[in-house]
Amino acid sequence: LNQKLAGGAALLGFLAVFVGSPYTGATATVDSEDLAVLVQKEVDHVRPAELADWIIQGKVDFRLIDLRDAKEYGEYHIPMAENVPLPELNSYGLTRNEKIILYSDGGIHSAQAWFLLKAQKYRGVYILLGGLEEWKDSVLFPSMAQNAGPEEKAEFEKMKEVSKFFGGSPRTGTTGGTEVQAALP
């Protein structure tokens, strides 16, 4: 019996040499020229106002991924967001053909996650431009300068309604150089 087991193990070991590496799938290739073009043209970005519009319209053809830790996610997250900390991204169950929008506080982690997913051939991966900080500034707490022109005033009126939809509060005028921290909804 021992000889048969040893022979079977030797045969399996011999076959393993020709079948392949146990690390298949652990590496990824990146076409750096294609990635550079995507980054330069900013086709991999979604602006906060655009995302807000999708959420208001009830679009469900995308997955919004919050890469921050569970504590930060619990304090505040964009509606519809799924909490997937960066180390868990590879095992989360995303599919390569869905639209995935990534965000973190400012954008560094989402850019890193974007790169990781692109290297693994995920097609529809996007970054929320400016991350959660830009979402707060332009969607939750939009502001308008005191000397705003007609176009800026019209855009601000639109963003006031968007802000109210998400529980934010628009700001007008300046605060004399000091930023007032508004409470998150």
Side-chain angles (χ1 to χ4, degrees):
L1 180 63
N2 286 342
Q3 287 178 338
K4 287 181 181 179
L5 288 174
L11 179 63
L12 288 175
F14 180 75
L15 288 174
V17 170
F18 295 102
V19 172
S21 168
Y23 302 107
T24 302
T27 61
T29 59
V30 175
D31 185 338
S32 59
E33 288 180 17
D34 285 347
L35 289 179
V37 168
L38 287 174
V39 171
Q40 177 65 29
K41 292 183 177 182
E42 292 188 355
V43 296
D44 60 336
H45 292 91
V46 172
R47 299 193 183 287
E50 182 179 18
L51 176 61
D53 190 47
W54 293 349
I55 294 170
I56 291 169
Q57 290 179 27
K59 285 190 173 190
V60 292
D61 65 341
F62 64 93
R63 289 180 75 180
L64 181 60
I65 306 297
D66 184 326
L67 298 164
R68 300 171 306 139
D69 65 39
K71 180 180 181 282
E72 292 170 316
Y73 176 84
E75 291 171 359
Y76 177 79
H77 59 273
I78 298 172
M80 295 181 60
E82 303 170 50
N83 185 222
V84 185
L86 190 56
E88 299 170 20
L89 190 61
N90 282 336
S91 62
Y92 188 65
L94 300 171
T95 58
R96 285 179 169 72
N97 62 348
E98 64 187 332
K99 184 188 286 185
I100 302 166
I101 302 167
L102 305 164
Y103 78 89
S104 57
D105 282 320
I108 296 299
H109 284 127
S110 54
Q112 292 167 337
W114 176 89
F115 186 81
L116 290 172
L117 293 177
K118 281 296 197 179
Q120 295 174 23
K121 307 292 186 215
Y122 283 80
R123 293 184 190 137
V125 183
Y126 302 87
I127 298 170
L128 180 62
L129 191 62
L132 188 59
E133 292 304 316
E134 183 62 27
W135 172 269
K136 291 174 188 176
D137 289 344
S138 63
V139 175
L140 290 180
F141 311 113
S143 61
M144 180 179 68
Q146 289 178 345
N147 60 352
E151 211 171 275
E152 293 169 310
K153 288 179 181 178
E155 180 63 24
F156 180 72
E157 288 303 314
K158 176 186 167 197
M159 290 312 294
K160 274 175 45 176
E161 296 305 313
V162 171
S163 174
K164 290 175 187 174
F165 180 88
F166 289 103
S169 56
R171 299 173 285 178
T172 57
T174 60
T175 57
T178 59
E179 188 65 31
V180 176
Q181 182 65 32
L184 291 170

